[in-house]
Amino acid sequence: VGGTSLVRNSSARGWGETVWNGAGSGCSAFEAKQTWQTDTGCTRKTVADVSAVADPNTGVAVYDTFGESGWLVFGGTSASAPIIASVYALAGTPTAGTYPVSYPYAHTTSLNDVTSGSNGSCGGSYLCTAKVGYDGPTGLGTPIGTGAFVPGTGGGGGGCTARQLLGNPGFESGTAPWTATAGVIDSSTGEAAHAGAVKAWLDGFGTTHTDTLSQTVTVPTGCASYTFSFFLHIDSAETTTTTQFDKLTVAANTTTLATFSNLNKATGYTQRSFSLAAFAGQTVTLKFTGTEDSSLETSFVVDDTALNVA
């Protein structure tokens, strides 16, 4: 839980909110990154998920019935953390098998997005500077009631229907909804399919050539895992063990997921898998591009694709 400074103003909300410069942020040294947290600046978990008022200079009024009895003023994340805990308590008992920390990621419109202020010097990076959307100091923002914290709406819960999203994933029903270079979706016996009779066969000409294969799909929000996978067989006449002459690039929109080459040639198929959690809530084009140089063939054979969300 991050911290903010909260002051009265003349806006419709009645309050202005900025980063409290005493709150910490950044990348965890220990916690693994969860699939529903899709920012790219930290390999491990980015520390803050959400935030609440914490600035001791503006103060948070707390009524104490245990120690000093009466109204006291507190600050720090020692104030914002129990505020968020109380919002979770008001929102209801979490759904079994879900991760409550994931709930706000599925309901960002139920949070006040904090877009100004910084808690350090990081060259404008979102890891210590507020911006529109997720940022390091305040996470997704501060609560608007309990809407972002209600049970059963986050990863692994009722907000995600487990399913496979790609159409015609094994190419057995022709081309659509794939877009492919003529001849790529193929049922010949020159290269075996992984299963069934049809596969996508890119390149293999032994001349300068480019083949493409792509499909566009909308990726839902609220799931705990987003796994794009396919079986790949690389068959090459290249004998070098050091030089990439022929390449297969796999991309999601403009993001390169992997590059394979004649150096990866092997007998049989290998399944390749990639997380697309960063694309939750977006329309994404998954694209295979095979490029071959002017001599010695390399075939890139793709089959049994899938985009599984759960």
Side-chain angles (χ1 to χ4, degrees), residues 40-279:
T40 59
C42 294
T43 301
R44 295 187 176 90
K45 186 182 187 299
T46 311
V47 173
D49 296 295
V50 291
S51 53
V53 59
D55 188 344
N57 294 316
T58 55
V60 181
V62 175
Y63 192 81
D64 186 0
T65 61
F66 177 76
E68 299 184 45
S69 292
W71 286 102
L72 304 168
V73 176
F74 288 93
T77 50
S78 295
S80 61
I83 289 172
I84 295 298
S86 70
V87 175
Y88 268 110
L90 290 168
T93 303
T95 302
T98 67
Y99 295 89
V101 67
S102 71
Y103 298 169
Y105 288 87
H107 290 277
T108 56
T109 58
S110 293
L111 295 158
N112 297 301
D113 188 9
V114 181
T115 60
S116 63
S118 177
N119 63 0
S121 177
C122 57
S125 164
Y126 81 97
L127 290 175
C128 78
T129 304
K131 69 176 190 66
V132 174
Y134 182 88
D135 58 63
T138 66
L140 298 167
T142 61
I144 304 174
T146 61
F149 303 84
V150 294
T153 56
C160 177
T161 301
R163 61 199 186 277
Q164 197 286 116
L165 299 176
L166 294 181
N168 189 18
F171 312 108
E172 299 297 324
S173 60
T175 301
W178 295 96
T179 299
T181 305
V184 162
I185 295 180
D186 172 79
S187 60
S188 71
T189 58
E191 291 285 351
H194 177 258
V198 186
K199 71 282 181 184
W201 182 353
L202 293 85
D203 297 330
F205 293 92
T207 59
T208 302
H209 187 81
T210 299
D211 278 330
T212 60
L213 170 72
S214 64
Q215 184 174 146
T216 299
V217 62
T218 299
V219 183
T221 59
C223 296
S225 64
Y226 301 80
T227 304
F228 172 48
S229 65
F230 54 89
F231 284 86
L232 175 64
H233 169 52
I234 301 176
D235 185 0
S236 180
E238 302 282 3
T239 58
T240 179
T241 59
T242 58
T243 305
Q244 295 182 341
F245 291 115
D246 311 311
K247 298 179 182 179
L248 178 72
T249 301
V250 185
N253 289 344
T254 59
T255 300
T256 298
L257 302 176
T259 300
F260 305 97
S261 75
N262 49 281
L263 300 182
N264 302 113
K265 68 180 181 179
T267 57
Y269 282 86
T270 301
Q271 188 177 35
R272 311 288 183 170
S273 298
F274 307 90
S275 173
L276 295 189
F279 298 91

